[in-house]
Amino acid sequence: MKESISIIFDENTIQRKVKDIALKINQDYISKSDILILSILKGSIVYTADLIRHFNFKFELEFLEISSYKNGKTSGDLSFPDQRLPEFANKHVIIVEDIIDTGKTLAYIQNLIRHSGALSLECTALLIKLEKDNGSLHIKYPGFNINDIFIVGYGMDYAGKYRNLPYIGALKH
Ligand code: IMP
Ligand code: MG
């Protein structure tokens, strides 16, 4: 069947929100050193690229690959490929996530870092599915709240496609 996409957040709306979030992070981190931005691949790559260009503090950038979706459908199981873990000790860590659905991915990463000797740990997520049971996660720098719909674009994919769209849309079949 043919897939179609209806735009939910256009390019300008996203860029304004990303800048707003970055300004809040700037205020909180301008006087800190040893900051580590941790981008969660692959979906966060576009958000990360736009967000960090607004930062006015010095930071290191690292990536972790983790996913809970297989071919567009939630599997519930996290896939965490073998990879070198960044050094979190003595760093102020900010996790950059594209979208929070069940919250399992973020909870997994937070647990990885919690006992690593990090100086602090906060998170930004561009999109949060509010209807899902993810309310216990603390996301200090949230973007948009959305309903429980399947989203593509601005880094997010369906079966590996649509990451390049400059807008965020709902995928219909
Ligand atoms: P969670 O672990 O259920 O919170 O899922 C989080 C991860 O699944 C995100 O980092 C996304 O990469 C992916 N994901 C969740 N919802 C969507 C969606 O609507 N479209 C595309 N990817 C999604
Ligand atoms: Mg992701």
Side-chain angles (χ1 to χ4, degrees):
M1 248 205 284
K2 211 171 167 338
E3 295 158 12
S4 69
I5 295 165
S6 57
I7 297 180
I8 295 184
F9 300 112
D10 65 21
E11 204 172 342
N12 281 335
T13 308
I14 298 169
Q15 293 303 333
R16 276 201 308 272
K17 179 66 84 177
V18 171
K19 191 170 179 188
D20 278 0
I21 296 169
L23 295 184
K24 292 195 178 92
I25 297 176
N26 279 342
Q27 281 173 8
D28 291 351
Y29 286 82
I30 185 70
S31 58
K32 290 188 168 68
S33 48
D34 301 311
I35 299 163
L36 174 64
I37 306 299
L38 182 66
S39 173
I40 309 307
L41 296 174
K42 300 174 183 148
S44 302
I45 180 159
V46 179
Y47 177 39
T48 303
D50 283 345
L51 186 73
I52 63 174
R53 282 179 288 175
H54 292 293
F55 286 167
N56 61 8
F57 51 83
K58 293 199 179 80
F59 61 89
E60 290 169 62
L61 177 62
E62 293 281 0
F63 297 92
L64 273 188
E65 184 167 2
I66 180 164
S67 73
S68 64
Y69 275 72
K70 296 258 184 289
N71 288 329
K73 293 191 182 124
T74 180
S75 68
D77 298 327
L78 295 182
S79 119
F80 189 69
D82 257 353
Q83 58 200 299
R84 180 191 63 84
L85 284 185
E87 185 61 58
F88 300 119
N90 303 312
K91 303 273 169 67
H92 292 287
V93 181
I94 307 175
I95 299 169
V96 180
E97 199 27 330
D98 49 358
I99 182 165
I100 309 292
D101 183 337
T102 64
K104 282 184 190 166
T105 305
L106 182 60
Y108 183 92
I109 296 163
Q110 286 179 332
N111 280 335
L112 265 184
I113 301 174
R114 198 155 279 141
H115 304 291
S116 66
L119 295 173
S120 66
L121 177 59
E122 297 294 353
C123 177
T124 177
L126 185 62
L127 296 156
I128 301 171
K129 293 186 186 175
L130 265 194
E131 292 163 1
K132 289 292 184 76
D133 185 19
N134 52 35
S136 60
L137 290 170
H138 174 64
I139 295 153
K140 185 157 188 189
Y141 307 103
F144 304 105
N145 291 324
I146 57 163
N147 295 329
D148 187 13
I149 46 178
F150 196 81
I151 292 295
V152 294
Y154 199 69
M156 287 160 281
D157 73 308
Y158 171 67
K161 293 179 296 178
Y162 302 119
R163 293 192 196 276
N164 57 311
L165 300 177
Y167 52 85
I168 291 170
L171 184 72
K172 294 183 192 149
H173 293 271

